[in-house]
Amino acid sequence: MLIVALDPPSNADVLSWVEERFKTLKQYVQGFKIGLPAIIEIGLGPLARIFRGYSGLLIADLKLADIGDVMSIVAERLAMHGFNAVIAHAFIGYEQALDKLSAVCREKGLKLILVVSMSHKGSREFIDRHVKEFVELAKSVDAWGVVAPATRPEIIRFVRELAGKELRILSPGIGVQGAEPGTAICSGADYEIVGRVITYSSNVLESAFKVLEEQRKRATQCLGLR
Ligand code: BMP
């Protein structure tokens, strides 16, 4: 299960960079994650036109961390422009923050995804001290999923243990950040989020196939899948 992170480099013509990769990959992957590099450069309107009619996961990765009222406005706009999922930080807490965001997400049909741990080393400084509480919070706001790092598979296993089947786990950190395709799935993730090793490659499709094939091979070994 693969979600492609579309983070265009600063020298790219962002609109065509995103559009080309979306068109090349859409039939092979389960979804796309769009973050600040594309959104601040071209805005939601032009992005919405690229993805119009797409039925896969379309995740706005804004890692929201604001008061509930402001996040709610953002969520409404995202839904208006065709996104079907949004990522927020868990550390902002429930009252006047995730309580409001989760209500708006429910009303607008947006899947709420909370960050419970991150793939970079600095995540250990503060965020990782609270993984357990963050997973409990994700369950209590009825989040659709959580983000946990492929770079630290023991955290994915811990999150899966806590989350049971209630939450999807999405794991970034494959490729450029060092983890191998399939390893997060073997640790309990549902989706691997992969960006640059595919999107910055000179042959995007070939690189995506390589990741998919490695995922399949590892999952076959560890989970006994086809
Ligand atoms: P890449 O495969 O190019 O390293 O991209 C990973 C993607 O996942 C990026 O879009 C990044 O913003 C996101 N991400 C991450 O790398 N680590 C996290 O802990 C959370 C993320 O959303």
Side-chain angles (χ1 to χ4, degrees):
M1 300 284 264
L2 182 58
I3 295 169
V4 174
L6 292 171
D7 297 313
S10 51
N11 60 357
D13 173 348
V14 174
L15 206 54
S16 55
W17 191 96
V18 169
E19 189 165 19
E20 280 164 19
R21 282 152 186 78
F22 168 61
K23 285 188 172 158
T24 304
L25 298 170
K26 64 180 176 184
Q27 54 185 314
Y28 305 107
V29 304
Q30 279 64 50
F32 294 89
K33 183 179 80 64
I34 321 293
L36 287 172
I39 293 174
I40 60 173
E41 183 64 23
I42 52 182
L44 292 177
L47 279 171
R49 284 192 281 282
I50 294 177
F51 292 98
R52 186 172 294 146
Y54 180 59
S55 58
L57 278 170
L58 190 56
I59 304 171
D61 181 9
L62 295 172
K63 293 198 182 66
L64 296 172
D66 209 329
I67 56 167
D69 290 337
V70 173
M71 293 192 295
S72 298
I73 300 171
V74 175
E76 280 174 15
R77 288 208 173 270
L78 292 171
M80 219 156 63
H81 284 96
F83 282 90
N84 53 33
V86 61
I87 299 181
H89 271 294
F91 63 70
I92 51 175
Y94 180 76
E95 256 188 281
Q96 300 182 335
L98 290 172
D99 54 352
K100 293 195 173 184
L101 178 62
S102 65
V104 171
C105 284
R106 206 167 306 127
E107 190 191 314
K108 299 289 172 190
L110 275 178
K111 295 175 169 67
L112 176 60
I113 300 166
L114 296 186
V115 177
V116 298
S117 174
M118 294 187 71
S119 57
H120 65 298
K121 288 187 176 157
S123 184
R124 293 183 296 203
E125 293 168 29
F126 305 108
I127 296 178
D128 288 5
R129 294 183 200 172
H130 300 281
V131 174
K132 187 165 185 287
E133 287 104 315
F134 292 163
V135 174
E136 292 308 323
L137 180 56
K139 287 204 257 183
S140 71
V141 297
D142 218 5
W144 179 81
V146 293
V147 175
T151 47
R152 272 165 303 133
E154 68 282 3
I155 296 196
I156 301 175
R157 287 192 285 273
F158 181 55
V159 171
R160 177 54 75 205
E161 217 171 273
L162 297 168
K165 289 188 176 149
E166 252 179 81
L167 296 166
R168 285 89 179 161
I169 300 176
L170 292 75
S171 287
I174 309 277
V176 173
Q177 296 182 59
E180 301 283 342
T183 54
I185 287 176
C186 286
S187 302
D190 298 285
Y191 299 92
E192 292 184 339
I193 296 174
V194 182
R196 291 162 294 174
V197 81
I198 295 174
T199 61
Y200 287 20
S201 149
S202 55
N203 189 330
V204 168
L205 191 57
E206 198 176 90
S207 302
F209 284 164
K210 202 165 153 232
V211 168
L212 285 166
E213 179 57 15
E214 278 187 55
Q215 267 190 341
R216 195 192 59 77
K217 274 193 188 150
R218 280 217 171 76
T220 308
Q221 281 169 5
C222 73
L223 303 174
L225 297 177
R226 231 170 1 99

